[in-house]
């Protein structure tokens, strides 16, 4: 019995403990189960994104398309490789940018790299504004103070089967409003009151991959309260092209820029410099031309380049125009021979599908000349270059269909007096073709790296442009890169004249300077001594001078000849003949007045240009770019005699009423009114030019360095006396002169109220001239003139009083 009781007690104590132990164990197991790591999810396989239903395009990256979802398959070997991302407007709405933006316009160019970080692929912008040799300690500081911005971070979706490439989805990136690659800059957004990108009306049009580039076309639609056209839609739709181009790993040796020879350029700040400051460096933009046979090239023989510059014509180019476009490119081949290269540049007709099924105008390996069906009257010569070296990688020249109409009109207006074949709306096909050929040559020049050289037309004596022998050999300007389109100087009776521009001696000089291979030089700096010598050997010859269009009257757009007064005298003389015959050459032939109206408007523009060339002499300063080793000054004011001669010419040919422009047989057939306002706008433009603050300040400064200068106070007095010449006599003032005289007073008021420095002499002489004018008109209003003239003088006096004493 005792044994049984003992057993029962042991059992009673042991069972709860075991149960409790089991309970504790269960809780522990449960707790352990809760904190146990979940099994990792495996990434979707490659076949999830790339399978039999996927449309794939091989090239720089494999691009995969799954019903509008786009994947980039990025080779890991391409991480950190530098690529150029170029954003262009492919198609634009009418009126965008006020008509000054064209389809094909480049909006942004930036160097990018793809970089792996954790489980992301980063697209980063790499800047070359600041550089340093990566072997120097300062390189770390340059990197630290120029942190590269991240445009976008992509999730890695998967890897290809052999793990040599990653897959990222780029759909959202290219269908979102990413500011870094937007073709609608902030100032357009503000102007057109853009509210947002509408994702329901925006999409990726296409993505195509080529061996060295990827081309993305995006269609973006924005909600905009004030669109440039179709205002009732409150919408802007724009088509954007993104080009991503692999930059060469074998960098071209750059050539140091020199402003004495015209080249587009790229620049950066080099912190590797041994100077006591960061060294700003600038290199010219040019194609990479390497001779096939270096030894023969060094001996002075003509040698073909390893890779010539080739342009392909757009298949959309009309058949009848193709030969002229091709000639416009091929004409440069002779110029490159000056630099030692034969067959260096050429144009080719586009291959057929059978000849090259892979050919595409978007492929960066092919430069092209696009023919655009547009009412725009223009042509452009853009190119894409490596920002590290200036190497031009590709170029797409654009010709707009209506551009030939501008050339036909100007051919008639500027040469019609001396050139019988220009006196028609149906310009002979060969002459139109020659004009097109020269426009293409001009745009090719831009694509080769050459900017406008407006000083080249000043190299030739005016009377030489009336010589058939001279113009046939030398053309009408020293370069095709000037805006010297036609010979408007040649007079009726001059024989065998060349009227259309052509390539000139400066083009040969500039191409040789920029493209000749100096095989012995291993660094850009080693070339400089030779390049300097080439410039200085020709420094005294105006044919080889480069000049930019700013304050220099010898570098004006559309001018020809080395004497603006003489050239414009010939030009106006010819224009008077044209104006007299304009109805016979237009409306009398077509039996409508549309062409007469268009050409009369453009004739006023031509007259205004001739006047503007002479205005440029007033307060003008010649700029002769030099290095200190050369003799003479860089800046030289126009002589007092030339400025006074120009002022007399302007009074006679611009500010005096030009009755020859007021032919009733034209005006009474093209508009019911507006003649006086139109003339005032043109005269007022010249007035504002002469009385611009910057010009007046230049004249004040010129008096410091040139004792015998044309003083600003004398210029304003001469201008006032000429414009108000009737006030010195008993003469009535016609409506055109009344308008001009009031415009003079308004312009003087504008100067008084401007933000020019208060300590400047400008306000002093303006006040003095207005007081003199007040005295002059006070006497004139009492003379025996007609009622309108009296009212006009009283009005002028009231204006002057308000300016001098606004209280």
């Amino acid at each position: 019995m005792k044994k049984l009781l003992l057993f029962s007690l042991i059992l009673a104590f042991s069972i709860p403990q075991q149960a409790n132990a089991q309970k504790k164990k269960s809780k522990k197991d449960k707790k352990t189960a809760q904190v146990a790591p979940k099994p990792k999810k495996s990434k979707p396989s490659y076949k999830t994104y790339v399978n039999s239903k996927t449309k794939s395009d091989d090239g720089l990256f494999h691009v995969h398309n799954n019903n509008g979802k786009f994947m980039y398959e990025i080779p890991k070997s391409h991480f950190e490789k530098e690529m150029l991302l170029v954003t262009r407007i492919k198609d634009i709405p009418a009126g965008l940018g006020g008509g000054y933006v064209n389809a094909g316009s480049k909006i942004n160019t930036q160097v990018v790299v793809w970089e792996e970080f954790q489980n992301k692929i980063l697209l980063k912008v790499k800047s070359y504004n600041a550089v340093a040799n990566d072997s120097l300690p300062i390189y770390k500081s340059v990197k630290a103070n120029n942190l590269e911005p991240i445009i976008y971070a992509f999730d890695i979706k998967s890897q290809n089967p052999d793990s040599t490439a990653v897959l990222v989805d780029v759909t959202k990136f290219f269908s979102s409003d990413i500011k870094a690659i937007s073709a609608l800059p902030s100032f357009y957004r503000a102007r057109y009151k853009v509210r947002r990108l509408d994702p329901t009306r925006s999409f990726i049009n296409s993505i195509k991959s080529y061996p060295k580039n990827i081309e993305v076309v995006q269609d973006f639609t924005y909600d905009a309260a004030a669109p440039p056209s179709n205002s009732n839609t409150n919408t802007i739709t724009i088509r954007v092209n993104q080009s991503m181009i692999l930059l060469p790993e074998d960098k071209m040796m750059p050539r140091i820029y020199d402003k004495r020879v015209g080249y587009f350029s790229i620049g950066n700040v080099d912190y590797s410099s041994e100077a006591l400051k960061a060294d700003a460096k600038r290199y010219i933009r040019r194609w990479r031309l390497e001779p096939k046979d270096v030894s023969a090239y060094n001996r002075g023989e003509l040698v073909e380049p390893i890779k010539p510059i080739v342009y392909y014509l757009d298949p959309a180019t009309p058949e009848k125009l193709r030969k002229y476009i091709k000639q416009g490119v091929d004409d440069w081949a002779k110029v490159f021979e000056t630099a030692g290269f034969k067959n260096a540049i050429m144009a080719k007709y586009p291959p057929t599908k059978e000849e090259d099924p892979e050919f595409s105008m978007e492929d960066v390996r092919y430069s092209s000349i696009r023919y655009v069906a547009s009412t725009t009257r223009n042509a452009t010569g853009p190119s894409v270059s490596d920002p590290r070296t200036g190497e031009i990688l590709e170029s797409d020249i654009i010709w707009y269909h209506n551009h030939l109409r501008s050339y036909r009109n100007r051919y008639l207006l500027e040469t019609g007096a001396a050139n019988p074949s220009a006196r028609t709306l149906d310009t002979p096909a060969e002459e139109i073709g020659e004009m097109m050929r020269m426009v293409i040559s001009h745009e090719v020049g831009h694509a080769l790296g050459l900017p406008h050289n407006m000083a080249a037309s000043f190299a030739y004596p005016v009377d030489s442009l009336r010589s058939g022998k001279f113009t046939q050999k030398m053309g009408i300007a020293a370069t095709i890169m000037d805006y010297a389109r036609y010979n408007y100087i040649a007079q009726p009776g001059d024989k065998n004249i060349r009227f259309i521009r052509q390539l000139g001696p400066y083009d040969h000089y500039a191409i040789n300077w920029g493209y000749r291979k100096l095989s012995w030089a291993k660094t850009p700096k080693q070339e400089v001594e030779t390049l300097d010598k080439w410039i200085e050997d020709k420094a005294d010859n105006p044919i080889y001078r480069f000049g930019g269009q700013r304050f220099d009257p010898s570098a004006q757009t559309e001018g020809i000849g080395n004497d603006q007064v003489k050239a414009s005298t010939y030009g106006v003389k010819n224009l008077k003949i044209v104006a007299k015959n304009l109805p016979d050459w237009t409306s009398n032939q077509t039996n409508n007045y549309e062409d007469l109206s268009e050409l009369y408007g453009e004739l006023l523009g031509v007259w205004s240009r001739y006047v503007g060339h002479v205005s440029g002499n007033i307060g003008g300063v010649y700029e002769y770019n030099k290095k200190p080793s050369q003799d003479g000054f860089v800046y030289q004011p126009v002589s007092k005699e030339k400025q006074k001669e120009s002022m007399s010419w302007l009074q006679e040919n611009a500010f005096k009423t030009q009755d020859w422009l007021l032919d009733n047989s034209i005006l009474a057939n093209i508009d019911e009114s507006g003649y006086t306002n139109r003339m005032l706008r043109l005269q007022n433009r010249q007035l504002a030019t002469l009385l611009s603050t910057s010009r007046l300040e230049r004249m004040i400064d010129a008096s410091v360095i040139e004792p015998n200068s044309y003083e600003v106070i004398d210029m304003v007095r001469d201008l006032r006396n000429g414009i108000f010449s009737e006030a010195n006599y008993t003469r009535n003032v016609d409506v055109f002169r009344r308008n001009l005289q009031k415009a003079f007073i308004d312009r003087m008021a504008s100067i008084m109220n401007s933000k020019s420095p208060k300590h400047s002499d400008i306000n002093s002489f303006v006040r003095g001239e207005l007081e003199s004018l007040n005295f002059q008109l006070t006497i004139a209003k009492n003379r025996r003139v007609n009622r309108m003239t009296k009212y006009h003088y009283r009005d002028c006096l009231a204006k002057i009083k308000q300016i001098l004493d606004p209280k």
Side-chain angles (χ1 to χ4, degrees):
M1 184 68 182
K2 288 182 179 178
K3 290 181 178 178
L4 181 62
L5 181 61
L6 180 64
F7 177 76
S8 299
L9 288 170
I10 293 170
L11 186 64
F13 282 104
S14 66
I15 289 174
Q17 288 175 346
Q18 289 176 352
N20 192 48
Q22 289 291 334
K23 188 175 182 181
K24 287 181 179 178
K25 184 178 180 183
S26 176
K27 285 183 177 179
K28 186 178 180 182
D29 290 346
K30 187 174 182 182
K31 187 176 180 181
T32 302
Q34 286 176 341
V35 298
K38 294 181 180 179
K40 290 184 178 179
K41 282 188 177 181
S42 60
K43 285 189 177 181
S45 69
Y46 181 78
K47 289 185 177 179
T48 304
Y49 302 105
V50 184
N51 49 56
S52 59
K53 295 181 180 179
T54 304
K55 295 179 180 178
S56 298
D57 191 16
D58 296 344
L60 179 63
F61 299 166
H62 292 328
V63 176
H64 306 295
N65 180 2
N66 291 301
N67 294 319
K69 291 285 185 181
F70 290 90
M71 310 287 294
Y72 276 5
E73 183 177 328
I74 308 174
K76 293 180 180 179
S77 60
H78 281 50
F79 289 164
E80 305 292 341
K81 284 192 175 180
E82 295 174 330
M83 301 180 187
L84 200 64
L85 185 58
V86 183
T87 302
R88 287 193 187 95
I89 297 177
K90 186 175 178 65
D91 296 303
I92 62 172
L96 185 74
Y100 293 98
V101 177
N102 301 313
S105 295
K106 187 165 56 178
I107 299 298
N108 195 14
T109 300
Q110 49 198 330
V111 177
V112 297
V113 293
W114 297 85
E115 181 180 293
E116 186 173 14
F117 177 74
Q118 296 178 356
N119 198 36
K120 301 277 188 181
I121 298 297
L122 307 180
L123 182 62
K124 300 174 73 173
V125 173
K126 190 168 183 178
S127 172
Y128 275 90
N129 293 331
V131 297
N133 191 313
D134 59 11
S135 65
L136 298 176
I138 199 171
Y139 176 75
K140 295 178 182 179
S141 178
V142 171
K143 291 287 288 182
N145 288 282
N146 292 274
L147 185 63
E148 297 161 348
I150 299 169
I151 297 179
Y152 206 83
F154 300 87
D155 293 326
I156 297 176
K157 298 296 185 182
S158 185
Q159 298 196 42
N160 67 346
D162 62 3
S163 299
T164 59
V166 297
L167 283 176
V168 297
D169 189 338
V170 297
T171 309
K172 185 177 180 181
F173 175 66
F174 284 121
S175 57
S176 302
D177 193 12
I178 307 293
K179 297 296 189 291
I181 59 170
S182 173
L184 205 62
S186 57
F187 55 88
Y188 283 160
R189 293 170 188 258
R191 182 191 300 185
Y192 303 125
K193 299 181 180 178
V194 173
R195 291 187 289 264
R196 68 180 187 109
L197 177 75
D198 184 350
T200 65
R201 294 180 288 164
S202 302
F203 47 86
I204 299 171
N205 187 298
S206 65
I207 301 182
K208 296 179 181 179
S209 189
Y210 301 95
K212 294 184 179 181
N213 62 301
I214 297 176
E215 301 294 322
V216 181
V217 178
Q218 306 157 288
D219 286 356
F220 279 168
T221 297
Y222 297 88
D223 289 333
S229 55
N230 299 304
S231 57
N232 60 324
T233 66
N234 282 0
T235 293
I236 294 176
T237 296
I238 188 168
R239 181 164 289 169
V240 185
N241 190 98
Q242 308 286 355
S243 300
M244 191 176 70
I245 303 163
L246 182 65
L247 290 173
E249 293 185 46
D250 174 25
K251 297 178 186 177
M252 178 187 78
M253 190 177 86
R255 179 155 292 178
I256 293 174
Y257 169 81
D258 191 312
K259 63 181 180 181
R260 295 173 295 175
V261 183
Y263 269 89
F264 294 124
S265 61
I266 56 104
N268 56 45
V269 177
D270 188 354
Y271 288 89
S272 305
S273 171
E274 295 182 5
L276 298 180
K277 63 179 179 64
D279 192 5
K281 291 188 175 178
R282 187 156 290 279
Y283 302 116
I284 68 171
R285 293 178 57 199
R286 57 176 181 162
W287 296 80
R288 185 189 301 215
L289 288 183
E290 306 280 353
K292 286 181 178 179
D293 186 336
V294 176
S295 297
Y297 185 87
N298 291 340
R299 290 194 301 268
E301 299 175 26
L302 287 179
V303 176
E304 290 187 343
I306 295 171
K307 184 181 178 183
I309 304 165
V310 180
Y311 279 93
Y312 288 88
L313 271 63
D314 191 335
T317 306
E319 291 281 352
K320 65 180 181 179
L321 299 177
R322 291 187 175 194
K323 68 175 182 178
Y324 304 116
I325 294 176
K326 188 176 187 306
Q327 288 171 342
V329 178
D330 293 345
D331 283 343
W332 281 96
K334 194 70 178 174
V335 178
F336 273 96
E337 290 183 5
T338 307
F341 293 101
K342 68 178 178 181
N343 302 324
I345 184 171
M346 64 197 72
K348 293 184 178 181
Y349 296 122
T352 63
K353 283 289 184 185
E354 293 73 25
E355 292 170 333
D356 186 354
E358 297 297 317
F359 177 81
S360 171
M361 301 287 272
E362 277 73 41
D363 191 333
V364 76
R365 294 175 298 170
Y366 304 109
S367 292
S368 66
I369 299 178
R370 307 290 184 97
Y371 193 96
V372 179
S374 167
T375 57
T376 300
R377 296 188 185 184
N378 200 6
T380 60
S383 61
V384 173
S385 61
D386 186 337
R388 306 168 304 175
T389 64
E391 178 186 354
I392 297 174
L393 304 172
E394 65 93 29
S395 165
D396 293 298
I397 293 168
I398 301 173
W399 174 275
Y400 295 93
H401 179 73
N402 272 21
H403 199 33
L404 282 177
R405 187 176 183 89
S406 295
Y407 279 83
R408 179 206 70 176
N409 288 359
R410 291 188 57 174
Y411 192 52
L412 184 153
L413 296 170
E414 295 183 31
T415 77
N419 180 13
S421 66
R423 301 167 189 168
T424 175
L425 297 175
D426 297 317
T427 312
E430 282 299 316
E431 291 173 50
I432 281 287
E434 178 72 0
M435 296 173 210
M436 186 178 204
R437 173 182 179 177
M438 293 305 137
V439 177
I440 294 296
S441 286
H442 178 92
E443 302 306 337
V444 170
H446 285 321
L448 295 173
L450 305 181
H452 292 133
N453 179 10
M454 300 305 183
S457 53
F458 197 71
Y460 294 166
V462 169
D463 284 328
S464 294
L465 298 174
R466 297 188 59 187
S467 163
K469 183 178 179 181
F470 181 89
T471 56
Q472 292 297 340
K473 179 183 179 182
M474 303 294 289
I476 60 176
T479 177
I480 194 74
M481 302 314 299
D482 200 326
Y483 271 173
R485 304 174 204 264
Y486 296 114
N487 185 347
Y488 58 79
I489 285 173
Q491 297 293 293
D494 293 343
K495 304 295 184 183
N496 194 32
I497 298 295
R498 180 169 180 87
F499 289 101
I500 301 170
R501 60 181 169 174
Q502 66 183 26
L503 286 141
Y506 173 85
D507 301 311
H508 289 259
Y509 162 73
I511 290 296
N512 180 72
W513 188 92
Y515 280 88
R516 179 167 286 278
K517 181 76 172 176
L518 301 178
S519 305
W520 46 266
K522 303 305 178 187
T523 68
K525 193 172 182 179
Q526 290 175 356
E527 297 183 328
V528 171
E529 185 177 349
T530 298
L531 297 174
D532 277 354
K533 187 176 186 306
W534 291 349
I535 295 172
E536 289 164 15
D537 283 348
K538 296 184 182 298
D540 295 329
N541 190 334
I543 285 175
Y544 304 108
R545 175 176 168 238
F546 175 75
Q549 179 196 358
R550 291 187 293 163
F551 45 77
D552 185 342
S554 68
Q556 298 191 75
T557 180
E558 314 287 355
I560 58 174
N562 65 349
D563 183 331
Q564 296 88 349
V565 172
K566 194 171 187 179
S568 290
T569 299
Y570 280 134
V572 169
K573 187 177 179 181
N574 280 338
L575 213 52
K576 289 178 179 179
I577 296 171
V578 172
K580 185 177 181 181
N581 289 280
L582 202 55
D584 286 339
W585 298 347
T586 57
S587 55
N588 291 356
Q589 303 298 317
T590 61
N591 201 30
N592 70 63
Y593 293 113
E594 291 178 9
D595 288 296
L596 176 62
S597 178
E598 179 181 328
L599 280 156
Y600 176 72
E602 292 189 27
L603 182 144
L604 293 177
V606 174
W607 167 72
S608 182
R609 278 199 297 274
Y610 295 164
V611 172
H613 295 157
V614 178
S615 295
N617 283 330
I618 310 295
V621 177
Y622 299 121
E623 182 180 42
Y624 301 100
N625 290 316
K626 299 173 183 286
K627 284 192 173 181
S629 57
Q630 296 175 264
D631 294 332
F633 296 117
V634 174
Y635 300 107
Q636 180 181 326
V638 176
S639 71
K640 179 178 182 178
E641 293 73 24
K642 177 57 69 177
Q643 292 192 59
K644 287 187 71 69
E645 179 190 15
S646 298
M647 177 59 74
S648 297
W649 190 95
L650 290 169
Q651 295 290 358
E652 183 66 26
N653 294 278
F655 298 133
K656 180 180 177 182
T657 301
Q658 304 298 299
D659 293 325
W660 63 275
L661 288 172
L662 306 172
D663 188 337
N664 194 50
S665 66
I666 296 176
L667 298 182
N669 288 315
I670 63 172
D671 214 333
E672 86 288 353
S673 63
Y675 321 129
T676 54
N677 283 338
R678 179 183 278 184
M679 184 61 64
L680 175 62
R681 282 197 303 271
L682 292 168
Q683 291 179 317
N684 205 16
R685 182 186 303 168
Q686 305 303 328
L687 195 61
T689 298
L690 293 175
L691 294 175
S692 67
T693 303
S694 60
R695 189 177 301 262
L696 299 176
E697 288 174 347
R698 276 203 309 274
M699 296 185 76
I700 292 172
D701 289 339
S703 66
V704 175
I705 62 173
E706 180 59 57
N708 191 35
S709 67
Y710 189 32
E711 296 276 358
V712 65
I713 193 169
D714 295 331
M715 185 275 282
V716 178
R717 184 191 60 218
D718 291 345
L719 184 61
R720 170 179 61 82
N721 283 334
I723 289 176
F724 285 90
S725 60
E726 295 92 339
N728 294 326
Y729 306 95
T730 306
R731 291 179 185 168
N732 296 324
V733 186
D734 69 38
V735 62
F736 297 100
R737 293 281 287 181
R738 293 197 298 267
N739 286 345
L740 178 63
Q741 289 170 5
K742 288 171 187 167
F744 175 88
I745 296 171
D746 288 344
R747 181 61 197 166
M748 298 292 270
S750 177
I751 297 172
M752 286 280 285
N753 296 325
S754 71
K755 295 180 180 179
S756 60
K758 297 305 177 186
H759 55 267
S760 168
D761 283 341
I762 292 177
N763 278 15
S764 302
F765 70 70
V766 169
R767 182 177 296 277
E769 283 301 311
L770 286 174
E771 289 172 348
S772 296
L773 182 58
N774 186 75
F775 178 77
Q776 185 181 12
L777 296 182
T778 300
I779 297 172
K781 72 181 176 62
N782 295 316
R783 289 200 174 99
R784 298 183 64 180
V785 291
N786 64 23
R787 187 184 304 174
M788 194 64 238
T789 299
K790 286 180 180 290
Y791 290 165
H792 166 66
Y793 285 153
R794 291 172 188 169
D795 188 30
C796 289
L797 287 166
K799 283 176 175 286
I800 294 169
K801 182 179 180 181
Q802 178 65 27
I803 298 167
L804 294 176
D805 187 12
K807 296 180 181 180

